[in-house]
Amino acid sequence: MKWRGRRETGAAPGPGPATTDRPSGDGLPRVAVITMSRDSGPVLRRWVEHYQRQLGPDDVFVVDDHSADGSTDDLPCTVLRLPYLDKYSFEPSRMGILSGLAKSLLFAYDAVLLADADEFVVADPAVHASLRHFAAARRGTDVAGVLGYNVIHRIGVEQALDFDAPSLLRQREFARFTPLMCKPALKWVDADWAHASHGIRHPFAPDPELFMFHFKFADLGQLELLAEHRHQAAVVEGRAVKSSWSRPTDEIVEALRTAAAQVEQAVAADEIGKFRPGPKRLETIVQNEGDLWRATGAGQHLALVKPPYVRIPDRLRDLV
């Protein structure tokens, strides 16, 4: 394994329980963000830029899972390049690598955030100035879950995403709240993620002031490329065969087309849902199974085609 970037790490015996924040120069907690990426395309660079603004230029870490599309080349952050993952099956390898990396980073950071390369986490700007301010406000928390939203491309109404534009969310207006995407994303303690990061071996709950915008369905063209790449990885390499990776491309694309059409119907009928779900609904999302707590609900594609759809609040749209 080879590190590239401005930061080096060394071995350590293991982090103890989080008690007090180790303040940075501005007095806020230090928060790192990590992801594992393989051929994620142009969204990955926006992901890096987003978290550098939210956390700091040196606090973003990308684990490169043998990318071949150039998306991890020349990124302005620390990149850990892995060999081809064939020692163990893919999902246990991914969760083991990311949980292990987070454990190491907790020696230097107060908290670690895990987000896929198309997932953009933001704190409610009406309450918190940044993710680090959110972390400061949640001192004493062990794990915080996000409110997960699948951003929807209104095909025929909205243009293809311009990844060079100042804002991505200014190009998209609607999303679908998805309980399964209310992941245990931010943690202050050493606890392993599981179930493709939808679960963790520690109690958690979705935080009503922490939002995650998932861009998998935010652009038709990018979805087609991603779905075909993942389908081939599942068929040819046996990767993530129990996940949506094994679904045919046209099936995944059809889910977006159906959702986009239903958004238009909801707009015409003035049947747009409430953006933030109520406390009673949030209480039902996380289920405990032995030593595992995980977000539950219908799979992304099934949930995507079911109303209600919500309008993304204006106060959030310049954050991504």
Side-chain angles (χ1 to χ4, degrees):
M1 298 182 186
K2 180 173 65 177
W3 283 98
R4 268 187 15 161
R6 292 183 292 272
R7 187 183 298 277
E8 297 180 355
T9 59
T19 54
T20 59
D21 289 329
R22 295 173 291 279
S24 61
D26 56 12
L28 294 172
R30 292 194 295 253
V31 181
V33 63
I34 62 177
T35 196
M36 182 179 285
S37 175
R38 184 181 186 188
D39 297 336
S40 294
V43 72
L44 178 59
R45 186 167 292 274
R46 291 302 297 260
W47 184 95
V48 170
E49 293 171 352
H50 169 74
Y51 289 109
Q52 286 181 329
R53 288 194 304 271
Q54 287 285 324
L55 302 176
D58 297 325
D59 305 321
V60 177
F61 299 81
V62 173
V63 180
D64 179 14
D65 173 23
H66 210 68
S67 293
D69 68 344
S71 59
T72 60
D73 294 345
D74 302 318
L75 288 176
C77 67
T78 299
V79 177
L80 171 60
R81 300 195 183 279
L82 298 180
Y84 188 77
L85 295 179
D86 57 1
K87 184 176 180 180
Y88 304 106
S89 57
F90 174 66
E91 197 54 44
S93 296
R94 186 169 79 98
M95 290 294 95
I97 289 167
L98 292 170
S99 294
L101 176 58
K103 178 175 182 175
S104 298
L105 289 172
L106 283 171
F107 284 103
Y109 288 88
D110 300 294
V112 177
L113 172 68
L114 171 60
D116 288 349
D118 56 1
E119 295 176 350
F120 297 80
V121 177
V122 299
D124 191 337
V127 186
H128 312 281
S130 71
L131 288 174
R132 293 178 65 220
H133 288 83
F134 173 87
R138 294 297 185 268
R139 284 185 172 93
T141 301
D142 287 345
V143 182
V146 297
L147 301 190
Y149 295 83
N150 277 309
V151 180
I152 296 173
H153 182 187
R154 298 169 69 191
I155 301 166
V157 177
E158 296 169 332
Q159 299 296 314
L161 277 176
D162 178 359
F163 288 95
D164 294 322
S167 168
L168 297 182
L169 279 183
R170 283 292 173 191
Q171 302 174 60
R172 297 293 182 260
E173 190 174 359
F174 293 96
R176 171 61 159 85
F177 174 70
T178 308
L180 185 65
M181 299 302 289
C182 295
K183 299 179 177 183
L186 183 62
K187 66 179 185 177
W188 287 255
V189 296
D190 177 22
D192 289 345
W193 286 293
H195 271 273
S197 77
H198 297 266
I200 195 168
R201 300 194 185 283
H202 196 90
F204 81 98
D207 193 298
E209 295 172 5
L210 193 63
F211 310 117
M212 186 271 282
F213 293 103
H214 184 209
F215 272 70
K216 177 178 180 178
F217 303 100
D219 185 87
L220 175 62
Q222 292 296 316
L223 177 63
E224 290 174 330
L225 292 173
L226 177 68
E228 181 59 26
H229 168 77
R230 289 184 170 179
H231 181 65
Q232 289 300 314
V235 171
V236 176
E237 305 173 30
R239 285 205 163 198
V241 292
K242 295 182 180 180
S243 73
S244 62
W245 285 38
S246 61
R247 292 179 178 236
T249 301
D250 57 355
E251 181 180 325
I252 292 177
V253 170
E254 184 58 31
L256 174 56
R257 291 189 181 277
T258 299
Q262 292 188 157
V263 167
E264 297 313 307
Q265 295 174 14
V267 171
D270 195 21
E271 295 177 347
I272 299 302
K274 182 180 179 182
F275 176 72
R276 184 159 32 195
K280 289 185 178 180
R281 188 177 187 192
L282 293 183
E283 290 174 359
T284 66
I285 290 174
V286 177
Q287 295 185 6
N288 175 217
E289 303 168 356
D291 67 344
L292 176 70
W293 285 258
R294 67 184 183 98
T296 58
Q300 291 186 59
H301 304 93
L302 181 60
L304 192 73
V305 299
K306 292 184 177 181
Y309 301 99
V310 301
R311 180 175 278 107
I312 300 167
D314 191 68
R315 72 180 187 279
L316 302 176
R317 296 180 72 192
D318 286 328
L319 297 179
V320 177

